[in-house]
Amino acid sequence: MRAQPLLRPRLLESYIAREFLKLLSLSLAAFLSIYLVVDFFEKIDRLVRAGLGLEALGTYIFLKIPFALGQVLPPAVLLGAMLIFGLLSRTHETLAMRTSGLDILRLTRPVLVIAGLAVLVLLSLNLYLIPWTQGWSNLFWETRVQKKPPRGLINLEHFWYKGDQAIFNILLFRKDIQTLEGVKIYLFNGNFQLRQIIAAKRAKWEGDHWRFFDGFVQNFAPEGGESGESFAERDFSLTERPEDFGALEKKVPEMDQSELSRYVRRLERDGYKSTPYRVELQSRISLALTPLILAILGLGLALRQERTYIPAMVAVGLGLMFGYWLLVGFCASLGQAGRWPILWAIWMPHGAFGLLAASLLRRVSR
């Protein structure tokens, strides 16, 4: 007899978890289908003109799924959280739960747990899977639709590169054999005074250092003197590696978390401004919290009164969600412009809406 009151909430929690998963799956499938269909028909003319077959079109859609999933997962969680208790309220099941002495907030636990799992899924998408598929999707579009040669076959030509107390003037970087052609390097000391110039016909990466061929090195003394000599082959130890030059062609959305972190460190080491990239780095992490925040917001809207008009509730919830996203974008732009500190600009909108959602849920009548 004593086990029955304890068993009842667990059965109800299991029931709510099961129904929430159904609603979440339906919402996710609907949003994902709409997103992919709209994206496909926006570009169908280019895809058809490129003469792609069904297999290529399927590949294009498949590569778009992770990005689309990252976009639609938060609103799907919000809609599922609102509908699960909105439908229970319409059939007076929430009233029966309250009158039987159950704490209605305890029954929100399955929704919050599943929303927490959605946070982990979105975090892995933002940090790794979306950048990886973005790279392949862009490569597909460039090579199969725009008919450009693969990036791996394109060598960087006639460019300047600022390195670690060094400036490179490179005629050609051949990625396939990790070789610099027509290279000239200006090396500086800590006070940005020119201390050495290395000019060579060719430089090849030898595992942990550069080997220069047919070149000339000129040294500048702090007192003002200089000396120089020619060489046929000579090894030089420089901070820059072949991947530093190869990364110049990789777009930021295509970099995963570790690549973007290395890119930010290299920019800061070389004296460049890294604020936009630090904002991108923090945004990928902070945006993963949106399913949990929106789940709390949806529960607060669904349970704030016993009888809920579902269309109005959904409209209010989606309106608050769009306001949330606008605030996130506005604050991120202030962070990129340097008006606000990066941590404040990225995390403040999530904290503000998290407090709003929590306050709505706390006002629920138990």
Side-chain angles (χ1 to χ4, degrees):
M1 295 296 293
R2 292 183 180 180
Q4 187 176 358
L6 296 176
L7 183 62
R8 188 167 48 190
R10 293 178 183 175
L11 291 174
L12 287 173
E13 287 180 14
S14 178
Y15 168 73
I16 289 172
R18 185 171 59 253
E19 294 302 311
F20 175 66
L21 283 174
K22 290 180 182 178
L23 291 170
L24 177 60
S25 301
L26 290 173
S27 302
L28 199 58
F31 288 150
L32 189 61
S33 300
I34 292 171
Y35 188 101
L36 293 174
V37 167
V38 170
D39 180 79
F40 179 76
F41 279 101
E42 279 183 351
K43 300 173 180 175
I44 191 171
D45 54 337
R46 300 286 301 275
L47 295 169
V48 170
R49 283 202 302 268
L52 301 180
L54 291 178
E55 182 180 354
L57 294 176
T59 301
Y60 173 77
I61 295 174
F62 178 77
L63 291 173
K64 282 289 183 179
I65 289 176
F67 180 79
L69 185 60
Q71 298 295 307
V72 303
L73 182 58
V77 171
L78 171 65
L79 188 61
M82 288 189 294
L83 290 180
I84 179 64
F85 281 100
L87 294 173
L88 290 176
S89 175
R90 191 174 65 176
T91 56
H92 305 291
E93 290 179 78
T94 55
L95 178 61
M97 295 174 189
R98 286 188 173 103
T99 55
S100 65
L102 293 176
D103 185 354
I104 197 68
L105 291 184
R106 178 179 175 179
L107 299 180
T108 64
R109 187 164 53 186
V111 176
L112 298 178
V113 169
I114 295 171
L117 295 176
V119 168
L120 297 179
V121 171
L122 188 55
L123 184 64
S124 63
L125 286 172
N126 288 343
L127 297 188
Y128 298 103
L129 188 56
I130 289 178
W132 183 76
T133 53
Q134 281 284 89
W136 281 103
S137 178
N138 291 338
L139 181 64
F140 179 94
W141 187 262
E142 292 168 4
T143 58
R144 304 292 296 275
V145 180
Q146 297 179 333
K147 306 301 182 182
K148 295 180 180 180
R151 295 179 190 174
L153 300 179
I154 301 175
N155 296 311
L156 298 173
E157 299 181 9
H158 302 285
F159 67 96
W160 290 82
Y161 177 85
K162 185 177 183 299
D164 184 18
Q165 297 183 1
I167 295 177
F168 293 72
N169 183 11
I170 300 171
L171 181 64
L172 177 67
F173 171 53
R174 300 184 60 184
K175 295 173 292 186
D176 53 345
I177 57 175
Q178 297 186 331
T179 299
L180 305 174
E181 304 281 358
V183 58
K184 196 170 186 179
I185 307 173
Y186 302 85
L187 298 171
F188 300 87
N189 59 22
N191 298 322
F192 207 72
Q193 295 177 332
L194 186 63
R195 64 179 180 85
Q196 191 177 61
I197 296 177
I198 304 171
K201 184 177 180 180
R202 184 166 57 94
K204 183 175 178 58
W205 180 250
E206 298 286 351
D208 59 353
H209 65 276
W210 291 98
R211 174 165 292 179
F212 288 73
F213 302 88
D214 300 325
F216 181 84
V217 58
Q218 187 173 7
N219 300 302
F220 297 88
E223 304 81 25
E226 60 181 77
S227 61
E229 59 177 315
S230 301
F231 60 86
E233 291 187 21
R234 181 174 293 187
D235 294 342
F236 290 92
S237 294
L238 301 171
T239 305
E240 288 67 34
R241 303 167 64 90
E243 51 264 32
D244 291 328
F245 303 115
L248 294 174
E249 66 178 7
K250 198 166 190 178
K251 301 173 183 177
V252 171
E254 300 173 4
M255 297 182 184
D256 63 27
Q257 191 73 356
S258 57
E259 291 173 330
L260 188 54
S261 298
R262 288 197 300 269
Y263 186 62
V264 167
R265 288 195 297 268
R266 184 166 61 79
L267 286 176
E268 294 175 346
R269 182 202 69 192
D270 297 343
Y272 291 109
K273 186 178 180 181
S274 64
T275 301
Y277 307 103
R278 283 202 169 274
V279 169
E280 172 70 17
L281 204 59
Q282 293 289 329
S283 295
R284 292 182 181 182
I285 300 173
S286 64
L287 286 173
L289 293 175
T290 53
L292 182 59
I293 294 173
L294 290 176
I296 297 172
L297 181 66
L299 292 172
L301 292 173
L303 294 172
R304 61 177 178 168
Q305 53 189 12
E306 183 54 46
R307 299 193 65 178
T308 302
Y309 184 56
I310 294 179
M313 175 188 64
V314 171
V316 171
L318 294 178
L320 287 173
M321 181 190 69
F322 285 119
Y324 180 17
W325 283 348
L326 287 174
L327 181 61
V328 168
F330 176 72
C331 293
S333 65
L334 292 177
Q336 289 180 341
R339 300 290 184 86
W340 283 5
I342 293 176
L343 290 178
W344 175 259
I346 297 303
W347 293 96
M348 186 277 289
H350 303 288
F353 262 81
L355 289 175
L356 172 63
S359 66
L360 286 175
L361 192 58
R362 289 190 64 181
R363 292 178 185 176
V364 170
S365 173
R366 300 188 180 186

